[in-house]
Amino acid sequence: MTIAHLLAELNDAQRQAATARDKHALVLAGAGTGKTKTIVARAAYLIHSGVPANRIQILTFTRRAASEIVGRVQAHLGHSAQGLKASTFHAWCMALIRRSPGTFGCTNAQVLDRDDQVQLFKVLRGKDVPNTFPSASTLCDLYSFARNTGKTLAEAVAKKEPDLLAYLAKMAPIMTAYDERKRARDYLDYDDILELVTYQMAHSPQVLAWIASQQDHLLVDEMQDTNPLQWKLLDPLQHAVSLFCVGDDAQSIYAFRGADFKNVHSFQQRVPNSTVLKLEKNYRSTQEILDVSNWLLARSPLQYNKTLNAARGPKGKKPQLHRFTDEQSEARWIARDLQERHQNGTPWKHHMVLVRSSYAARFIEASFLNADIPYRFIGGTKLMESAHIRDVLAAVRVVVNPHDEIGWMRFLTLWDGLGETTAAKYIELFMRHASLSDSIAYLKTASKLYVQASTLLDSLSHLSQDAPAALNLAIAMLTPILEDRYANKEWDKRKKDIALLSQLAATYTSVSEFMTDYVLDPVASSDAAHGEHQDIVTLITVHSAKGAECPVCYVSNVSPGAYPSYPSTGDTDAIEEERRVLYVALTRAQNELLITRQGLDAMGQPNGVPTNIPEGTHTTDFLEFAPSSLFAWHTHWDEAVSPKRPTAPKRAPTSAARPALGIRLK
């Protein structure tokens, strides 16, 4: 396809954005308005206009999105698109660090994922603390939130967990110890990767010039999801490169992990002489569905200044609003309605059920299981976060970094007769050894029980540049152990995950690069990865549904306490983010939208306090005063009958010392 044909497929607003001649531009792309199509067209237009493909860097939030954009540009332009770069923010920064590790003071760093971070915080937190002291997971979340938002520890706690301010003085030394432990073990967490690059750009004009020289154009997808730390990456580059950012302020829903709504909403103030373009023609939904989402935004005190219009016009079904007494009856009805639709010839895969959180899915999952409804759940554990995968990777981790105490603990405790206490003693000794071979030799002589473990490590040590062979060896030797460990924990599914791990490693040479890449951007578990083309219902959390769409969508429990969630009470910014979460959920539907509510009577008034709201909590109701003309209303008083079971169905600057980065305590 020629560039002329590609541009001809765009509407006027999309074409104006793709061919914009301003140095900097923000495209406010409403839900379903062709955001990805516009980015693809922009990259193709730049290449067609004479910009070398390798001078364009696209930044996304997932590996999948990056791959899709590059693939589509190459499909349009062929060979001329070779060299086009697309990656996540973390992968982009990690590539810069790998290209010149000395520049960033990181010559042998290992990347920690969140579970690793939590394990470290668990160790540093200790056991001799009150039950009310923040958990390792909470400490990790507070640390990352502070790093990504640029807040001090006190500010982060006040914002995220004000009830924990009394423990501030005891939390501070744990945070400091965490930063020190990372430096001592050559660990990098997600936040370090971004901050290393921003620090060097801020403190070295040479580094800034070198990074800027890597590309002429930065195309940023999902701009509304960027946080202050990511903005610190982009901001100094606006003077040297062209910024083309695409996002939707109405879909900014990640403030809980530091995303800054203002990065989009105040773009013109932050990027002088930039232009803002809008995409408002929606190609996903009917106008009836869009009328509901438009009304929801119009009720906000914030000025979004957008109205989505359906390309197909007002030809659809009016959204349904179903009210139930409780979550059990709601779940049973959803299952029964799905069955009826399937019996009438609609494929399972044409249905999506959106839930507020993984926890909120429990009753719906139970109803699906009882009714033999095939489904996949998206929003749970990623492949690299799965226990059995982490077990396999632990062997490889300690070979890559012999001072990886987290990896050692997981690897050693895989073997019978070796508990955490004994493992901790070995690890203490290993941390003093200069090399992996010393640790292996000690392990081999410590006990005959560990000969197999040391043999595995010894073999892996010779395969650091052969990722497929290393992973396959680890899998082969550990599978009997894992099969026994997970015998009663869905081993058949876990076995498929391990096979997928082997496939992913096949395209890599370096073990270190393979692990870093997939830690930075973990792929979905086997159920999610292989479920896309199966005839199954999609059960998904709203935060996992960005970019997703489906002919028929159920948005469950649109009730006070869920939309907005009760923790947002009293916080205007938090409540408005909750409104945007609901907006995202509503705009996934293509043809039919079914909204369910709990704890309401026939007049839409509270019928007791829903079970997920603490007693005495006052909440906002987003659907209060909703015009009756927007919905087809249904009230269900008796949903006690269970659903029937169906039948079957430029050269880098000189090296530098690694800066002492970490959390700000004051």
Side-chain angles (χ1 to χ4, degrees), residues 37 98 108 170 246 341 354 394 413 425 589 599 631 636 647:
K37 188 175 185 178
R98 281 179 182 157
N108 191 34
K170 293 183 178 179
V246 181
R341 290 170 177 271
L354 295 109
T413 54
K425 294 178 180 178
F631 301 102
H636 303 262
T647 358

Side-chain angles (χ1 to χ4, degrees), residues 3 26 28 44 53 56 80 84 100 153 317 338 415 424 438 605:
I3 189 66
L26 170 68
L28 285 176
I56 302 171
S80 61
L84 178 65
S100 183
L153 177 60
K317 296 181 179 180
L338 280 166
W415 308 90
D438 291 338
Q605 299 301 310

Side-chain angles (χ1 to χ4, degrees), residues 6 53 60 90 95 126 161 175 298 300 307 345 371 441 444 498 508 533 551 578 666:
L6 175 59
T60 70
H90 289 90
E161 302 283 354
M175 302 296 184
S300 171
T307 301
K444 192 177 294 184
I498 293 173
Y508 282 78
H533 306 295
E578 293 287 300
K666 298 181 179 180

Side-chain angles (χ1 to χ4, degrees), residues 28-40:
L28 285 176
T33 58
K35 167 182 65 64
T36 302
K37 188 175 185 178
T38 303
I39 292 179
V40 169

